[in-house]
Amino acid sequence: MSAVETVEGSSPVVLAMPHTGIEIPRSLMRRLNLRGHMMADTDWHIDRLYADLLPEATTVRATFHRYVIDANRDPEGTSLYPGQNTTGLVPVTDFDGEPIWRDGEVPGPAETEERLHLFHEPYHWALKNQIDRVKEKHGVAILYDCHSIRSNIPFLFEGTLPDFNIGTNEGKSCAQMVEETVAEVCGKAHAYTSVANGRFKGGWTTRHYGRPDEGVHAVQMELAQSAYLETEDTPFHYSDEKAHRLRPHLAEILHRLERLALDGKLGN
């Protein structure tokens, strides 16, 4: 299978989707236990939610599931959130802290290295290639990393997650204007809650590519799945009604970010 799907656009905005893929090789699927087979930690339907919101945006989407290898983790395996519960480069547990592999089937270092070459590296090669292409065209690139997660996961965080979770690595991955623009749209979205750099400050993608001094601005959006799914449990059905209310706010974010870049307000 191809590890990545890329759709090139003419906009300065690049949408990254590292966790929407649900493809798992059969040889690996046989080694997952029943919890692993549920693939509960997928960013369900995020590609559908963002479809056509910014028609000329470039999209880079991983097709493989995060249980194969997590495309939004440091390839060296360094934790993004030291001291807090999280999942690793090749997850051993799900977001509830429960094992996902059958006894004796947890992948070892050699297998992790192989998956890096087969899946993680091709995804990031494609993503970097598109960021570079867009930056060459416009003088600036905005990487918008698209994510979602269940709103209640005690193993990872206390309480209920806000609907919009903006991550900019405490402002280091983008210009202040970029973060403020996203936060403004989310803050005025009626009946939705939002936070910047709360529990989720941006994963490896945001931290690795976000170089505002070099014209690459990165922001992660972690959406609470309750904002667009019928239920946050299996079968994780998409809610047309909820998505219809949410999509205009996401569209406004993307269009305003694009306008910042095209108007030269980010130094291009």
Side-chain angles (χ1 to χ4, degrees), residues 9 15 20-21 38 68 83 86-87 89 98 100 104 135 141 143 152 157 188 205 219 225 256 259 262:
L15 304 181
T20 65
M38 289 175 62
V68 177
T86 186
T87 53
L89 180 61
E98 298 294 333
I100 59 173
K135 184 173 180 290
L143 173 61
N152 288 277
F157 51 83
K188 73 177 185 181
T205 301
V219 58
Q225 291 179 345
R256 287 188 59 178
R259 182 46 53 192
L262 293 177

Side-chain angles (χ1 to χ4, degrees), residues 6-260:
T6 300
V7 178
E8 291 190 356
S10 60
S11 171
V13 176
V14 177
L15 304 181
M17 299 182 182
H19 294 152
T20 65
I22 57 173
E23 295 184 9
I24 300 177
R26 288 184 182 179
S27 60
L28 298 185
M29 185 65 83
R30 288 194 292 266
R31 295 165 56 189
L32 289 166
N33 62 24
L34 292 179
R35 288 191 72 94
H37 285 184
M38 289 175 62
M39 298 190 288
D41 303 333
T42 307
D43 290 11
W44 296 104
H45 310 296
I46 277 292
D47 47 341
R48 179 178 177 183
L49 184 68
Y50 279 91
D52 300 320
L53 292 182
L54 188 66
E56 285 303 318
T58 292
T59 301
V60 180
R61 188 181 82 87
T63 62
F64 53 92
H65 195 265
R66 67 189 305 158
Y67 291 169
V68 177
I69 195 164
D70 194 326
N72 198 35
R73 294 292 184 269
D74 186 338
E76 299 297 324
T78 304
S79 176
L80 297 171
Y81 298 99
Q84 299 185 59
N85 288 337
T86 186
T87 53
L89 180 61
V90 174
V92 176
T93 69
D94 62 14
F95 286 167
D96 295 309
E98 298 294 333
I100 59 173
W101 299 95
R102 294 180 184 274
D103 290 345
E105 296 292 353
V106 174
E111 190 174 355
T112 298
E113 191 68 24
E114 180 182 30
R115 296 187 196 184
L116 276 170
H117 292 310
L118 292 176
F119 301 100
H120 194 283
E121 290 176 6
Y123 172 77
H124 283 284
W125 181 88
L127 185 56
K128 182 181 184 303
N129 202 35
Q130 292 305 317
I131 292 171
D132 290 346
R133 180 185 65 84
V134 163
K135 184 173 180 290
E136 183 176 356
K137 178 180 177 66
H138 295 284
V140 65
I142 298 179
L143 173 61
Y144 183 96
D145 205 23
C146 309
H147 294 262
S148 72
I149 193 170
R150 287 175 284 145
S151 61
N152 288 277
I153 307 179
F155 182 72
L156 296 184
F157 51 83
E158 295 181 359
T160 300
L161 204 65
D163 300 304
F164 297 102
N165 298 269
I166 307 160
T168 65
N169 194 23
E170 302 289 4
K172 299 173 186 174
S173 68
C174 65
Q176 184 177 353
M177 187 178 297
V178 171
E179 180 179 325
E180 289 177 348
T181 296
V182 179
E184 180 185 348
V185 176
C186 295
K188 73 177 185 181
H190 178 67
Y192 292 97
T193 55
S194 63
V195 67
N197 295 304
R199 172 60 178 86
F200 297 99
K201 305 178 189 299
W204 187 75
T205 301
T206 304
R207 304 181 197 203
H208 179 69
Y209 293 104
R211 299 287 186 272
D213 292 343
E214 300 173 16
V216 179
H217 304 265
V219 58
Q220 175 176 302
M221 177 61 75
E222 188 85 59
L223 296 171
Q225 291 179 345
S226 56
Y228 72 96
L229 295 184
E230 290 181 4
T231 174
E232 294 186 324
D233 200 352
T234 183
F236 304 102
H237 282 158
Y238 186 84
S239 169
D240 289 319
E241 180 181 352
K242 289 183 178 180
H244 181 72
R245 294 196 299 268
L246 180 61
R247 276 170 53 85
H249 302 300
L250 298 175
E252 183 178 356
I253 290 171
L254 298 181
H255 280 274
R256 287 188 59 178
L257 290 178
E258 180 182 63
R259 182 46 53 192
L260 281 180

